[in-house]
Each structure stands twice: as C-alpha cells, then as structure tokens.
Amino acid sequence: MTSAAQNTAKAWPAAVEDQTLQIRIDLAAAYRLIHRLGLDDSIYTHISARLPGRQDRFLINPYGLRFEEVTASNLVTVDLDGNVIDDPMGLGINPAGFTIHSAIHAARHDAICVLHTHTVAGIAVASQKRGLLPLNQWSLQFTDCLAYHDYEGIALDLDERSRLVADLGDKFVMVLRNHGMLTCGRSVAEAFKLMHNLERSCRAQLAVQSSGAEIIELSAAVARKTAGQYASFYDAIETNGVPDSEWAAFKRMLERTDPDFAN
C-alpha cells in the first residue's frame, strides 16, 4: 500500500466518526425542535437518520422518552431487520416507527433522514380528500412533489412497507392519509425544514378554510415556478455546499434553551 493510500485508510475511520457524531447531534436537535414547535405527540412519532458509511443501520429515538429528553448519546442504533445494535437506555424502539423508517431507509439511499409527525393540523389536512392545497407560498413548494399513502391501521404489519415505499416513489414528502405527515431529507436539516414548512402549510390551509373568505386560486404555472425556486434553494445547500443559515440559527436557539441536546 502506498503512503497516500495508507493515509487515506487512516483518515477514513476518523472521518466517519466525525460524521457520525454530527448526525447524532443534528438528529437530537431535530427531536428538540419538533418538541419546541409543538409538533410532537407524547412519546410517539419518530425521526431517524442513517449512519454514515452504512446503508443498513440507522438511529432512532428510545421508546418511552419524550422528544425533549432525546440527546445525541441516548439514540438507539437499529438495523434494517429490526435488530437493536446499541441501546444506551435499554428502552428499545417503537415497532410502528421501525416499520415506517426501515422501509424508507432500505429503499431510498438518498433519504438520510426520515421525519414523521402526528399534529392536529397535519392530521386534519391528511383527512381531507384533496389533501394539501396550493394556497400559499409555503404550500407551493410541494407542487408535484407530494406523495400520498392510504391508511391501513397502526403501522405494525411489515408487509405494508412495500406499499408505503411504492407510494413514496422518488419524492421527499408524503401525506399519510388520516394519519399524519412524513418528510425525507438528504440531511437531518432538510427533513426538518420540509416538515416545518409542511406543518405551516397545513395550518394556513385550515385557517383560510375556516375563515369563510373567498380563496384566491393560484395558477399551475406560478405553483410550479415557486416549487422550482424552493428546489434550487435546497439543492444549493445539499449538493453545492452553500451554508445552511436557517439550520444554524435553529441550533443556536437550542444551544441557549436546550444545551444538553448535544450531550
């Protein structure tokens, strides 16, 4: 082995270790932010992140902790077969969470993070026949980018995974009908930001529907233009290395209010 190759071999484990630590910190941050924004559901719903350098293992929350209790060090490592590899608190994982998240991590290697919520606004929109409507700037970003999956009961049946993945296709956002919302991201930050905007889209839709006022209809051309603008913005961060100022700002907030998230 040449000297350059030896140096690369030595650097690779250190690089993976650094990436793993960052993924853990970002994932814990996402849990805390979902709690702070009121998007959690007691000890239920889940956010997962694939471990760097592995296609077959991901991190998820210990079953029984509220989201404000999740830290970088107490996350559970599980493989795609449901084997718990590392469980610092000995609490195991939510079986329904495993069904949903393992399905997507197995099929979509571009989905580093998968985020699922049950919010009042999200479930209300998921229960509407037309689903999310293109009514405002937040919701327009999801034009032609939104998948739908019909409700089959609590996600405990592993055979649902194939149908869930088929419905998701190559999209990053999915409405789980009568159930909730799901986003994927090329990073934890992207999955979180998509969910943040998806939730606000749902709240805005319910607000305008309940107002009784006449709704301004937006053209398909404007909707697609706006979606393209959002896509270019996300691509610049995820593929071109543009700094993610919004995610950095969210984490600074947590450093002031929830400094133990990174423990």
Side-chain angles (χ1 to χ4, degrees), residues 196-250:
H196 186 219
N197 283 340
L198 183 60
E199 171 69 15
R200 293 191 292 176
S201 300
C202 292
R203 293 183 184 184
Q205 178 169 321
L206 296 177
V208 72
Q209 287 174 328
S210 64
S211 73
E214 184 177 357
I215 296 174
I216 299 172
E217 298 287 344
L218 296 168
S219 70
V222 168
R224 292 192 176 99
K225 174 184 177 180
T226 307
Q229 291 171 320
Y230 270 100
S232 296
F233 176 75
Y234 285 123
D235 287 345
I237 294 170
E238 300 300 332
T239 64
N240 297 332
V242 172
D244 191 340
S245 300
E246 184 180 13
W247 182 241
F250 271 119

Side-chain angles (χ1 to χ4, degrees), residues 120-136:
V120 172
I123 292 172
V125 169
S127 301
Q128 295 184 11
K129 189 168 185 178
R130 292 182 62 197
L132 186 69
L133 302 175
L135 301 179
N136 55 72

Side-chain angles (χ1 to χ4, degrees), residues 45-63:
T45 71
H46 339 275
I47 316 171
S48 63
R50 188 193 313 281
L51 281 170
R54 301 293 302 250
Q55 297 293 353
D56 61 339
R57 294 184 182 180
F58 60 92
L59 299 166
I60 199 166
N61 52 318
Y63 191 28

Side-chain angles (χ1 to χ4, degrees), residues 5-20 52-54:
Q6 288 174 335
N7 290 337
T8 300
K10 291 176 182 178
W12 170 245
V16 171
E17 185 174 344
D18 289 345
Q19 292 168 8
T20 299
R54 301 293 302 250

Side-chain angles (χ1 to χ4, degrees), residues 26-203:
D26 282 352
L27 184 55
Y31 274 102
R32 296 299 183 95
L33 289 166
I34 290 294
H35 168 69
R36 282 187 57 82
L37 295 173
L39 311 186
D40 51 351
D41 178 15
S42 182
I43 63 171
Y44 306 105
T45 71
H46 339 275
I47 316 171
S48 63
R50 188 193 313 281
L51 281 170
R54 301 293 302 250
Q55 297 293 353
D56 61 339
R57 294 184 182 180
F58 60 92
L59 299 166
I60 199 166
N61 52 318
Y63 191 28
L65 293 190
R66 288 182 58 84
F67 280 19
E68 72 266 32
E69 298 176 296
V70 174
T71 66
S73 62
N74 66 27
L75 292 160
V76 178
T77 304
V78 62
D79 69 16
L80 296 177
D81 295 319
N83 299 308
V84 174
I85 308 301
D86 181 47
D87 184 2
M89 300 194 69
L91 295 175
I93 62 172
N94 186 332
F98 172 75
T99 299
I100 294 170
H101 291 254
S102 64
I104 297 172
H105 283 301
R108 290 282 302 275
H109 293 171
D110 57 339
I112 299 300
C113 180
V114 180
L115 200 165
H116 171 47
T117 60
H118 306 152
T119 67
V120 172
I123 292 172
V125 169
S127 301
Q128 295 184 11
K129 189 168 185 178
R130 292 182 62 197
L132 186 69
L133 302 175
L135 301 179
N136 55 72
Q137 181 167 281
W138 288 324
S139 63
L140 291 184
Q141 72 181 286
F142 303 113
T143 302
D144 299 332
C145 301
L146 198 58
Y148 287 84
H149 176 66
D150 289 338
Y151 188 65
E152 300 186 21
I154 295 173
L156 298 175
D157 299 327
L158 293 181
D159 65 353
E160 184 180 353
R161 293 189 294 182
S162 60
R163 294 183 292 278
L164 190 149
V165 166
D167 288 337
L168 179 63
D170 62 355
K171 295 180 170 59
F172 279 82
V173 182
M174 183 156 67
V175 175
L176 303 173
R177 292 192 186 275
N178 308 94
H179 180 180
M181 297 289 166
L182 183 144
T183 60
C184 305
R186 292 165 287 185
S187 66
V188 174
E190 183 175 40
F192 168 77
K193 290 182 296 182
L194 286 171
M195 185 59 75
H196 186 219
N197 283 340
L198 183 60
E199 171 69 15
R200 293 191 292 176
S201 300
C202 292
R203 293 183 184 184

